[in-house]
Amino acid sequence: MPPKKKKGKKKKKGRKDDGELTVDDKYKKTLEEVEALKDHLAVRKELAHRSQSAGLVWKHHMLEAQTQLEEREENQKAVSSEMTRQYKTMQTELSLRIHQLETELERTRLQLDDTQSELKKTKAEKEEMTKQKNLEIEDLQNRIKKMGDKFLKIFLDNMEQLKVQIDEQAKGRWAERATMIQSENKQTLLEFGLHPLDI
């Protein structure tokens, strides 16, 4: 039998004498790196998935916000348009009202001027009428006074005439009465036997 060769100590698999990795070690390392990369990729995928989900959520929020913003802008435009319309309508109505009030004011001023002129004319007419009436009253008072004076004169004249007539009538009556009394006295004297001439 040929003599057996001495086998040297087996070197560890995976390292060469110069410190380089063996193919198996490289393979294992590569597998580990691949696994690590897979894990890393899975984490990245999960993060990407989460990020994508979060992005979708934020995109949804952004779309909602954009929709709300557009709705607000539309509402603001509608409100602004309505306010502008109302303002223009109100401005038109106010302008029309101002014009109407100015027209009424001018008409009222003209009426006031006419009324003042009429009042002035009426006052002048009243003063003239009052003056005429006062003159008529004064004239009537003068006439009444003259008539009163005439009436008084007539009354006094009539009273004087009446007095004269009464005096004359009274004298006549007294004369008759005196004559009658003298006759009665004479008769009485004669009855007593006396003659009136003797007394």
Side-chain angles (χ1 to χ4, degrees):
M1 272 182 92
K4 293 183 181 175
K5 291 182 180 178
K6 288 184 179 178
K7 291 183 181 177
K9 291 182 180 177
K10 285 186 179 177
K11 294 181 182 176
K12 289 184 178 177
K13 267 187 175 179
R15 285 195 181 266
K16 292 185 179 177
D17 291 337
D18 57 3
E20 291 184 4
L21 296 174
T22 60
V23 175
D24 289 336
D25 292 334
K26 284 183 179 179
Y27 179 71
K28 284 180 182 178
K29 186 178 179 184
T30 303
L31 284 176
E32 288 173 1
E33 288 177 355
V34 167
E35 288 298 323
L37 286 172
K38 282 182 180 180
D39 291 340
H40 186 67
L41 184 61
V43 171
R44 290 282 180 148
K45 279 184 178 179
E46 181 65 25
L47 288 173
H49 180 68
R50 288 181 183 176
S51 296
Q52 190 175 8
S53 296
L56 289 173
V57 170
W58 281 109
K59 186 176 181 182
H60 180 68
H61 287 320
M62 187 184 73
L63 288 173
E64 283 184 351
Q66 189 174 1
T67 303
Q68 289 177 358
L69 181 64
E70 288 174 356
E71 287 178 357
R72 282 185 183 176
E73 286 177 353
E74 288 296 322
N75 288 337
Q76 284 180 351
K77 283 181 183 176
V79 170
S80 177
S81 176
E82 180 64 19
M83 287 179 69
T84 302
R85 187 190 66 77
Q86 288 180 0
Y87 174 76
K88 286 182 179 178
T89 302
M90 185 177 65
Q91 193 174 26
T92 304
E93 289 175 354
L94 285 174
S95 296
L96 182 61
R97 184 62 179 155
I98 288 169
H99 179 68
Q100 288 176 346
L101 290 174
E102 286 176 347
T103 304
E104 288 178 8
L105 179 62
E106 186 62 27
R107 187 167 58 243
T108 305
R109 281 179 181 164
L110 290 173
Q111 288 178 352
L112 179 62
D113 290 342
D114 291 342
T115 304
Q116 286 178 340
S117 297
E118 190 68 25
L119 179 63
K120 189 175 179 181
K121 183 180 176 183
T122 304
K123 281 184 178 178
E125 289 176 354
K126 182 184 174 185
E127 287 175 359
E128 184 64 26
M129 285 176 65
T130 304
K131 185 178 177 182
Q132 291 295 328
K133 292 291 179 186
N134 288 336
L135 289 173
E136 288 179 12
I137 290 169
E138 187 178 351
D139 182 56
L140 287 171
Q141 285 176 343
N142 289 331
R143 289 170 68 182
I144 289 169
K145 186 176 183 302
K146 286 179 181 178
M147 288 176 68
D149 292 343
K150 284 182 180 179
F151 178 76
L152 181 61
K153 186 175 182 304
I154 291 170
F155 178 76
L156 292 174
D157 290 344
N158 287 333
M159 288 298 292
E160 188 63 30
Q161 289 176 4
L162 184 61
K163 181 182 176 186
V164 169
Q165 288 176 1
I166 290 171
D167 287 344
E168 288 177 355
Q169 287 178 0
K171 281 181 183 178
R173 287 177 185 171
W174 280 112
E176 290 177 3
R177 182 79 176 158
T179 303
M180 189 183 301
I181 291 171
Q182 281 180 354
S183 295
E184 289 175 358
N185 289 335
K186 187 176 180 182
Q187 185 67 32
T188 304
L189 288 172
L190 288 173
E191 287 178 359
F192 284 104
L194 295 175
H195 195 276
L197 294 176
D198 295 337
I199 298 174

